């Protein structure tokens, strides 16, 4: 309901019959593992304006999210937040985004479109590992971390911004990037 600012740790964890959630416009934070293991959860919508700023570790790990997600106020997407959401196809993140944690989108096999509107984002290791449908990505961060695109076998093009000064080990291992 409206007025809720935080969904606490494991609040809805492992509710396998949960198919859809409508988040209130007052929500600012989804805590650790709040929806982890909700294996039937396919859809997230907002009841009004999106004010969500923090998605904590493992928040939606292993959910059946489908289609697109568009976060208009997001600042932090933590480690493993969407790991294993293998039906998720696209995600758009606002210019307020500061960081994407390690393995945040690992194993999102159908994730083919990622739009990051922020000028500079801190990425964690293996953030997009095994995103098989990902074909193109634009990155402008000081560090392109270890294994960022590891096993993104259809990734053919990465546009690297002028602020990148380090590329970590295995960043492009098992991708189709040629130059």
């Amino acid at each position: 309901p409206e007025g809720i600012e935080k969904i606490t740790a494991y609040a809805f964890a492992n509710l396998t019959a949960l198919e859809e959630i409508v988040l209130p416009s007052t929500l600012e934070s989804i805590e650790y593992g709040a929806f982890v293991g909700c294996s039937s959860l396919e859809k997230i919508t907002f009841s009004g304006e999106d004010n969500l700023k923090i998605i904590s570790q493992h928040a939606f790990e292993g959910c059946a999210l489908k289609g697109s997600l568009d976060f208009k106020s997001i600042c932090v997407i933590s480690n493993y937040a969407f790991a294993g959401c293998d039906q998720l196809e696209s995600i758009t993140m606002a210019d307020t985004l500061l960081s994407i944690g390690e393995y945040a989108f690992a194993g999102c096999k159908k994730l083919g479109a990622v739009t990051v509107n922020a000028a500079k984002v801190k990425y964690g290791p293996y953030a997009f590992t095994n995103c098989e449908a990902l074909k193109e990505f634009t990155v402008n961060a000081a560090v392109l971390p270890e294994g960022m695109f590891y096993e993104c076998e259809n990734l053919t093009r990465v546009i690297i911004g002028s602020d990148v000064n380090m590329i970590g080990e295995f960043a492009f291992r098992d991708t189709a990037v040629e130059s």
Side-chain angles (χ1 to χ4, degrees), residues 53-133:
K53 292 174 180 38
I54 299 169
I55 299 175
S56 294
Q57 294 177 334
H58 305 277
F60 294 99
E61 183 176 5
C63 292
L65 296 173
K66 292 184 176 181
S68 301
L69 293 174
D70 186 357
F71 295 109
K72 303 203 182 317
S73 302
I74 198 73
C75 296
V76 176
I77 295 177
S78 297
N79 303 347
Y80 297 90
F82 293 94
C85 293
D86 59 4
Q87 300 300 307
L88 185 61
E89 295 175 13
S90 71
I91 186 160
T92 301
M93 293 162 281
D95 59 2
T96 54
L97 184 68
L98 301 172
S99 67
I100 294 177
E102 61 186 58
Y103 296 92
F105 296 96
C108 293
K109 297 184 182 298
K110 289 190 177 179
L111 186 62
V114 177
T115 304
V116 178
N117 290 315
K120 293 182 187 177
V121 175
K122 181 181 184 276
Y123 295 94
Y126 297 90
F128 296 96
T129 189
N130 203 17
C131 290
E132 294 175 359

